[in-house]
Amino acid sequence: MNDKLKVISLFSGYGTQELALKYIGVDYEVIANCDNFKAANECYDALHTTQNGNLGDIKQVNENNFPSCDLLTYSFPCVDVSISGKQEGIKEGTRSGLLFDVERLLSVNRPKFLLMENVKNLVSKNHYEAFKKHIYFLRGLGYSSYWRLLNGADFGCPQNRERVFMISVLHGNPDDVKQKMMNVDRYKKPKVPMMSFVDSNIDESLFVDCPFTLHEAKQNTVCKLVARRDDINYDQMRRIYSLDACSPCLTTSGSPQIMTPDDRVRTLTAREGYRFMGVKDSDIDVMLTTSLSTRAHIALAGNSICVPVMEAIFSEFFVDYIVEKEPVLSNQSNEEVND
């Protein structure tokens, strides 16, 4: 039996990486987390216990005093890479450029495992070269890396959320790393609609009293757009989705709009937002005891990572650390060249 897996999460949010480890029964301990977003830290502290606490602003973290760990996760800011952002890229001085601070920490410290997650646009023609430079940097340190584009909707989340996931293993065999990442497909499931994850007893404040025009949804799509609001012009804010398919990708800018069975329009509850990320109700209960508003919870969920995708990845790489899997609880009724 291995010792406990020692974990540090950078840009930790409310700790979805730690939840994924817990849900598959990995014997782990959190050495530290690192985030300077107050709302995220309030939820993180409600859910998790760390040995060294929150390291705070990553730019202020001293690489020479960085705690030792086995797994380092880093979902660095996507704002300068995302299609909804300014497309300034991974450069010094940008939020996405905080990736260079990760490299600074890794230049002195060598955890056995690294997990990176970011938006799909990271591997677009605009940003792929910068991403490859990061992979080459890791290779120079002795890491074998492999990335894949994975959708939370393929792993039990009722949400169309494609993200880049990359695992890196220090002195790992490249073929073994690739094979384990390809094995993640074994954990894929049929897509599930939002209907099974939403509640019926909803606060009236979440309903939107607006005129809308119904139209026939396209067939064979992950999400079903069934109507558009008539009172606003910005198309993305006009869209209304059917509960009979997946939600569009949650974001920090607000909840998607859904059509209820009685043809009313509403936004998501905080609980529903976290369920769409694969968080269990027992952990959602804890986060809902914090001071955050519904809007803040939705934004926090929209800035996090689909837990079941990481469960699949961790199940392949950390099988030696699994001691007892948590009981399954219901949450209510392209590959390109890897360098």
Side-chain angles (χ1 to χ4, degrees):
M1 177 65 66
N2 288 330
D3 294 333
K4 288 185 177 183
L5 183 74
K6 295 177 175 59
V7 181
I8 296 178
S9 57
L10 306 178
F11 317 105
S12 47
Y14 60 91
T16 49
Q17 299 93 332
E18 290 89 333
L19 292 179
L21 292 169
K22 181 174 76 167
Y23 291 171
I24 65 168
V26 167
D27 189 17
Y28 74 99
E29 58 184 339
V30 184
I31 304 303
N33 71 305
C34 183
D35 206 309
N36 59 1
F37 182 41
K38 182 179 178 181
N41 291 338
E42 186 174 351
C43 284
Y44 187 97
D45 291 343
L47 287 172
H48 310 286
T49 301
T50 73
Q51 286 189 7
N52 294 356
N54 188 345
L55 303 179
D57 183 354
I58 190 172
K59 295 191 75 65
Q60 304 303 316
V61 176
N62 188 328
E63 62 270 23
N64 295 308
N65 296 325
F66 193 69
S68 175
C69 67
D70 303 309
L71 168 64
L72 181 73
T73 71
Y74 59 108
S75 181
F76 65 97
C78 67
V79 62
D80 300 294
V81 176
S82 171
I83 56 173
S84 60
K86 295 183 179 180
Q87 297 290 301
E88 293 183 358
I90 302 173
K91 300 175 182 177
E92 289 286 357
T94 67
R95 291 281 306 284
S96 296
L98 292 176
L99 178 61
F100 297 127
D101 284 286
V102 177
E103 294 184 349
R104 174 175 58 81
L105 296 177
L106 290 174
S107 66
V108 177
N109 305 274
R110 302 284 197 282
K112 173 68 174 177
F113 301 98
L114 309 175
L115 176 73
M116 186 223 72
E117 179 268 356
N118 215 287
V119 294
K120 177 181 179 180
N121 208 43
L122 179 64
V123 293
S124 70
K125 64 180 181 180
N126 290 335
H127 304 293
Y128 189 50
E129 286 303 314
F131 180 42
K132 285 199 297 184
K133 287 181 181 178
H134 177 60
I135 296 173
Y136 294 152
F137 169 82
L138 295 178
R139 180 185 294 176
L141 299 180
Y143 286 96
S144 296
S145 303
Y146 198 81
W147 67 266
R148 293 192 63 188
L149 187 64
L150 300 171
N151 193 336
D154 292 322
F155 294 85
C157 289
Q159 179 190 175
N160 186 28
R161 192 179 190 89
E162 291 184 291
R163 291 293 185 268
V164 178
F165 291 84
M166 182 172 74
I167 197 86
S168 303
V169 181
L170 186 64
H171 306 311
N173 181 298
D175 292 334
D176 290 344
V177 175
K178 175 182 178 179
Q179 186 59 57
K180 287 180 179 179
M181 280 296 276
M182 297 307 297
N183 287 348
V184 167
D185 285 346
R186 300 188 301 187
Y187 302 86
K188 288 185 175 181
K189 303 174 182 178
K191 291 180 174 61
V192 291
M194 289 184 275
M195 184 69 78
S196 300
F197 293 78
V198 298
D199 291 322
S200 56
N201 186 17
I202 302 300
D203 189 292
E204 194 65 26
S205 66
L206 294 179
F207 286 90
V208 183
D209 185 12
C210 62
F212 57 83
T213 300
L214 294 170
H215 61 78
E216 187 174 351
K218 294 180 180 179
Q219 299 299 311
N220 301 319
T221 56
V222 180
C223 309
K224 288 188 178 180
L225 180 63
V226 293
R228 280 185 168 88
R229 290 174 58 172
D230 297 327
D231 58 330
I232 49 180
N233 294 322
Y234 181 51
D235 186 58
Q236 283 204 326
M237 293 183 66
R238 296 181 63 204
R239 298 175 185 178
I240 303 168
Y241 293 89
S242 169
L243 291 175
D244 293 328
C246 289
S247 164
C249 184
L250 298 188
T251 69
T252 59
S253 61
S255 165
Q257 298 167 124
I258 57 176
M259 183 74 74
T260 64
D262 57 354
D263 293 333
R264 298 184 69 191
V265 179
R266 72 169 177 89
T267 55
L268 300 179
T269 68
R271 183 177 298 277
E272 290 165 345
Y274 288 124
R275 284 176 180 166
F276 285 15
M277 300 305 302
V279 181
K280 293 183 179 181
D281 269 14
S282 56
D283 291 311
I284 298 173
D285 289 341
V286 174
M287 287 192 284
L288 295 186
T289 66
T290 63
S291 67
L292 275 65
S293 66
T294 295
R295 184 176 182 83
H297 278 299
I298 291 293
L300 191 58
N303 197 35
S304 63
I305 312 172
C306 285
V307 176
V309 180
M310 292 185 292
E311 289 182 54
I313 295 171
F314 293 159
S315 292
E316 286 297 314
F317 284 90
F318 301 136
V319 63
D320 292 338
Y321 292 93
I322 295 176
V323 290
E324 183 177 357
K325 188 170 183 178
E326 274 207 346
V328 176
L329 300 177
S330 171
N331 269 337
Q332 303 291 322
S333 85
N334 82 256
E335 194 152 319
E336 296 188 36
V337 175
N338 277 261
D339 295 279

